[in-house]
């Protein structure tokens, strides 16, 4: 049996596969950052600013700004801005991706001091007057908003398609160079 075999094509494929292997860490870090950006966007969208009575001196949005802040103070002091796509992208530049074997991790934290209580719920003393809201507390327990849990569930629904698209673009770039 006779046939033709083009070794140049095999050499080209070998070079493409080598390039893929060399750039896989870059792909995984980029994918982790893209998923983190989408999670942060979902978190910002789901975190509604507090509403305070006029004249109380309180301004809502600290918890929302907390998703893209390094500290509670930064989220609180930056009261004039609303986090948008640009702010999320700028914040992502400061985030580090850590890897352990084949696991890539980005830690998403809201540093606002009361974030945990809004997420998970909290106890309170009925009858206590709270000047910031101008009311007396009525319930012993306030249910959590589950902002993080809901955003993570939403992200898990779209993550497979996001990753598939990212890998496809990466493969096209590596194989077409």
């Amino acid at each position: 049996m006779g046939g033709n075999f083009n070794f140049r094509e095999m050499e080209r494929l070998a070079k493409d596969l080598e390039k893929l292997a060399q750039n896989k860490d870059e792909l995984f870090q980029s994918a982790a950052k893209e998923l983190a950006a989408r999670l942060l966007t979902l978190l910002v969208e789901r975190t509604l600013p507090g509403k305070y009575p006029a004249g109380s001196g309180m301004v809502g949005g600290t918890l929302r700004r907390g998703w893209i802040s390094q500290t509670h103070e930064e989220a609180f002091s930056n009261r004039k801005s609303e986090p948008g796509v640009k702010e999320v992208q700028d914040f992502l530049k400061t985030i580090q991706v850590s890897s352990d074997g084949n696991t890539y991790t980005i830690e998403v934290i809201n540093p606002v001091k009361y974030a945990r209580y809004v997420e998970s719920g909290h106890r309170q003393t009925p009858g206590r007057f709270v000047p910031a809201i101008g009311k007396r507390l009525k319930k012993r327990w306030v249910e959590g908003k589950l902002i993080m849990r809901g955003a993570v569930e939403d992200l898990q629904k779209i993550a497979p398609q996001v990753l598939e698209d990212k890998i496809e673009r990466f493969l096209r770039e590596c194989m077409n160079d």
Side-chain angles (χ1 to χ4, degrees):
M1 232 191 276
N4 294 334
F5 191 78
N6 188 340
F7 281 101
R8 282 191 213 133
E9 287 298 316
M10 287 297 289
E11 289 171 349
R12 186 170 152 243
L13 178 60
K15 285 180 185 176
D16 287 346
L17 291 174
E18 187 177 316
K19 192 184 324 177
L20 282 172
Q22 290 171 351
N23 295 330
K24 73 177 172 63
D25 191 58
E26 180 185 320
L27 167 67
F28 297 152
Q29 288 199 23
S30 174
K33 282 201 173 198
E34 181 157 343
L35 290 174
R38 288 173 184 261
L39 178 61
L40 286 168
T41 300
L42 289 167
L43 289 166
V44 167
E45 288 171 0
R46 289 173 151 272
T47 308
L48 302 176
K51 293 183 176 35
Y52 299 96
S56 70
M58 301 294 287
V59 178
T62 300
L63 189 62
R64 178 182 269 190
R65 287 185 301 276
W67 294 114
I68 59 167
S69 298
Q70 298 291 337
T71 65
H72 172 90
E73 291 72 22
E74 180 185 338
F76 183 76
S77 67
N78 200 1
R79 294 160 68 157
K80 298 222 186 313
S81 69
E82 269 297 305
V85 173
K86 181 189 180 313
E87 288 78 12
V88 169
Q89 294 300 328
D90 289 347
F91 183 71
L92 278 172
K93 292 174 187 169
T94 68
I95 287 182
Q96 297 297 313
V97 179
S98 61
S99 63
D100 183 17
N102 289 330
T103 303
Y104 289 76
T105 306
I106 291 180
E107 203 170 42
V108 175
I109 297 172
N110 191 320
V112 173
K113 293 174 184 171
Y114 54 84
R116 160 175 42 150
Y117 304 112
V118 174
E119 176 70 17
S120 304
H122 59 90
R123 290 183 299 186
Q124 59 186 17
T125 307
R128 190 178 119 227
F129 181 74
V130 180
I133 60 173
K135 296 180 183 177
R136 293 195 177 279
L137 302 176
K138 295 181 179 165
K139 298 189 242 172
R140 286 193 177 284
W141 179 258
V142 176
E143 291 295 323
K145 301 290 185 193
L146 305 176
I147 297 164
M148 176 68 91
R149 182 180 295 170
V152 167
E153 287 172 0
D154 290 349
L155 180 66
Q156 286 173 336
K157 291 175 189 172
I158 64 169
Q161 187 62 50
V162 169
L163 292 173
E164 186 177 313
D165 293 346
K166 187 138 196 89
I167 291 168
E168 193 174 301
R169 282 192 310 272
F170 175 76
L171 289 172
R172 251 189 266 117
E173 287 172 14
C174 284
M175 300 301 230
N176 290 331
D177 283 348

